[in-house]
Amino acid sequence: MVDRGFLFLPSYAWRLRDKPEWYRAMRLCLICQIEAFFYGSSGKSEDCTCAISSKGEMKMMDWKKGLKLAGLGLMMTAACAGLSGCGGKGEGQGSGKTAKVGFINGVSGGVASYGLAEKEGFDMAVDEINKEGKIHMDVEMVDTKGNVQQAVAAAQKLIAAKKVIVVGPLISGEYKAVGPLFQQAKIPLLGVATTAEGLMDIGDYMFRNCVPESKNIPQTVEKTHKLLGYKRVAVLYSNNNEHQVSAYKTFKKALEKEGVEIVATETFADKDTDFSAQLTKIHNANPDAVVVAGYYQEGGLILKKMRDLGMNQPVLGDNGFMSPELVKIAGPAADNVYVSSMWSPDRDSEATRKFVKDFRERYNHDPDNFAACAYVSAKLAAKAMENAGTTTDSKKVRDALAHIKNFESAAGPMTFNNSGDPEVDLVLLKVEDGKYKAVKV
């Protein structure tokens, strides 16, 4: 008959020599119960008297003491199983994968259409990232309603929560307000649709995955001027919106560079609904084309009024015109609108085709520029953490993000050459029959 003491205990004891005493007691007592089952001993607690010294030598141990130690060990093991801070998946807990990520967005108020689109794209990306298993994003989203004061409060909350990276906010004015807070806290801030000038000058922790107006608008002007040959243009812009004031200045500079005459300049305010006076003046100036720097809410109404007045000129828009909501509001009046975007569902890219397919299956509608850019933001954040080899060190994540090159995103290949602004190819789009379609120039 096999010597079960030799078979089980001495060899197993040697492997347990570096384990805590409670753990050794628990495992060896368990072995005794197994032996009792297989070899016919009673299996009662008084039969189990084994333990092991710190040197790996066998010794006898009072059963009650061993049982107490084993019980304590079981309690600690159970506690650890239920707490992420004890052997879970977070960094500093054994696997180094859980990332505390902030998302500043606007899903209600006047910016809701943009913000809800961003949330759809962002949520889909996070689900894909977490399913892959390399990094687990633990996301906290704060809704600012597009309000600067609420954005500041959101920033303070996320900084206090020690997020490793924060995506957002939605509006350039918000970004300008919260950027210095994140710069001081040394937490990377990755903007989604913030294209105003000067934002990256806040500091080296500032990033955005969208092309700034200084790179977007000049391409729109240059390509449409070559395509349409206009000579005289009128401009209409929102003068109480920092983003659109910046866009107006960039349009003006680009038009002057192309030698185009600006025959009229008119302004409006966000949430205005009557544009009759401004458009009548522009109509009387008889421009070849009209530039509108505004969001889709006002932009859609402006387009409808233009067409009602018999103004069928092509319209050049900025990033605020890149939304299906513009077409919903304007209807057929949106046709003959031109914008430049790094996002196009027609882009010849496997990453783009997969994103569009998966988005349609998930949400039953097409993605827009904001959904795509938010999707890319989450993917960029994950890539930066993967490259940095950490999900908790914001400095290393910042450095890795600044050096991402040729990242194949749904919005095209993207590179950060130690800069907060991405390098990415833009596509000229024209609205035809209610659809944004790529135009070759």
Side-chain angles (χ1 to χ4, degrees):
M1 184 171 180
V2 176
D3 183 349
R4 59 190 175 93
F6 175 81
L7 177 64
F8 280 96
L9 293 179
S11 59
Y12 197 78
W14 178 254
R15 293 202 299 270
L16 296 179
R17 66 190 186 281
D18 295 325
K19 301 294 184 182
E21 188 174 22
W22 65 265
Y23 183 91
R24 286 181 269 130
M26 176 183 69
R27 298 306 294 267
L28 290 172
C29 289
L30 177 61
I31 290 172
C32 285
Q33 299 304 313
I34 295 173
E35 286 185 309
F37 177 81
F38 282 103
Y39 293 99
S41 62
S42 68
K44 296 180 181 179
S45 62
E46 55 263 39
D47 291 337
C48 182
T49 57
C50 59
I52 189 167
S53 72
S54 60
K55 294 182 180 180
E57 300 168 347
M58 292 300 300
K59 69 174 185 178
M60 300 304 293
M61 183 180 192
D62 178 73
W63 163 249
K64 291 183 179 180
K65 182 180 178 182
L67 187 60
K68 288 179 180 178
L69 288 170
L72 176 62
L74 287 169
M75 291 169 63
M76 292 178 67
T77 302
C80 286
L83 295 174
S84 62
C86 196
K89 294 184 178 180
E91 185 153 330
Q93 303 160 13
S95 66
K97 292 182 179 179
T98 297
K100 294 169 63 178
V101 177
F103 183 27
I104 302 178
N105 194 15
V107 295
S108 58
V111 298
S113 177
Y114 297 117
L116 290 170
E118 286 194 4
K119 186 177 186 303
E120 288 181 337
F122 188 84
D123 287 351
M124 191 172 94
V126 169
D127 286 349
E128 291 177 3
I129 292 163
N130 290 347
K131 186 176 180 181
E132 288 171 2
K134 295 180 181 178
I135 290 172
H136 181 86
M137 282 192 172
D138 181 8
V139 179
E140 180 178 1
M141 191 194 84
V142 184
D143 178 17
T144 69
K145 300 179 175 64
N147 180 276
V148 172
Q149 287 74 27
Q150 292 193 40
V152 170
Q156 293 169 337
K157 178 181 180 181
L158 297 177
I159 289 170
K162 297 182 179 179
K163 304 301 183 184
V164 68
I165 188 171
V166 174
V167 174
L170 179 64
I171 306 298
S172 292
E174 294 178 297
Y175 194 106
K176 184 177 181 180
V178 305
L181 301 178
F182 286 103
Q183 180 65 33
Q184 184 177 10
K186 303 300 181 186
I187 296 175
L189 183 63
L190 179 56
V192 178
T194 47
T195 57
E197 298 304 311
L199 298 181
M200 300 301 99
D201 296 335
I202 294 172
D204 60 349
Y205 278 76
M206 302 296 104
F207 296 87
R208 54 184 165 193
N209 75 339
C210 49
V211 178
E213 300 291 14
S214 60
K215 295 181 180 179
N216 183 311
I217 290 174
Q219 289 199 36
T220 301
V221 172
E222 180 181 351
K223 291 176 181 179
T224 55
H225 186 225
K226 180 179 179 181
L227 182 70
L228 304 172
Y230 51 76
K231 297 179 180 180
R232 305 168 75 252
V233 167
V235 180
L236 180 60
Y237 72 96
S238 173
N239 63 0
N240 72 334
N241 183 308
E242 186 169 354
H243 171 95
Q244 301 303 347
V245 171
S246 173
Y248 156 68
K249 292 177 180 178
T250 306
F251 265 120
K252 184 174 183 292
K253 185 176 179 180
L255 289 166
E256 290 173 346
K257 182 179 179 181
E258 289 293 311
V260 177
E261 180 185 2
I262 300 175
V263 296
T265 301
E266 297 293 331
T267 64
F268 61 92
D270 286 359
K271 298 185 179 180
D272 281 355
T273 57
D274 185 0
F275 308 94
S276 301
Q278 300 97 317
L279 290 175
T280 297
K281 292 179 182 178
I282 290 175
H283 187 31
N284 292 336
N286 195 28
D288 300 323
V290 176
V291 168
V292 180
Y295 290 142
Y296 70 84
Q297 295 95 328
E298 296 79 26
L301 297 176
I302 289 169
L303 291 170
K304 288 182 71 174
K305 188 61 179 178
M306 280 183 61
R307 306 318 187 199
D308 288 344
L309 292 172
M311 300 173 64
N312 297 313
Q313 296 97 327
V315 175
L316 282 56
D318 71 335
N319 194 51
F321 269 35
M322 272 302 302
S323 172
E325 294 299 316
L326 179 81
V327 177
K328 288 182 181 179
I329 294 171
D335 284 0
N336 211 19
V337 164
Y338 290 85
V339 292
S340 288
S341 175
M342 63 184 195
W343 162 248
S344 170
D346 299 324
R347 185 184 284 275
D348 186 16
S349 160
E350 181 58 34
T352 301
R353 286 189 288 270
K354 184 179 185 305
F355 167 67
V356 172
K357 176 180 177 292
D358 293 346
F359 191 95
R360 286 172 176 165
E361 290 178 354
R362 178 172 175 137
Y363 297 113
N364 296 315
H365 65 85
D366 291 338
D368 66 5
N369 178 56
F370 295 89
C373 288
Y375 176 88
V376 172
S377 289
K379 294 284 189 170
L380 278 171
K383 182 64 175 177
M385 287 185 277
E386 183 182 339
N387 289 354
T390 178
T391 58
T392 60
D393 190 327
S394 291
K395 172 65 167 61
K396 291 182 179 179
V397 173
R398 178 262 161 219
D399 292 344
L401 183 57
H403 291 92
I404 284 179
K405 296 185 184 298
N406 299 318
F407 176 69
E408 286 295 334
S409 79
M414 195 169 294
T415 294
F416 291 91
N417 280 324
N418 199 25
S419 167
D421 283 332
E423 296 178 6
V424 61
D425 293 330
L426 299 182
V427 180
L428 180 65
L429 304 174
K430 179 184 180 182
V431 179
E432 290 182 346
D433 300 323
K435 300 285 186 180
Y436 292 88
K437 300 181 180 180
V439 178
K440 293 184 178 180
V441 181

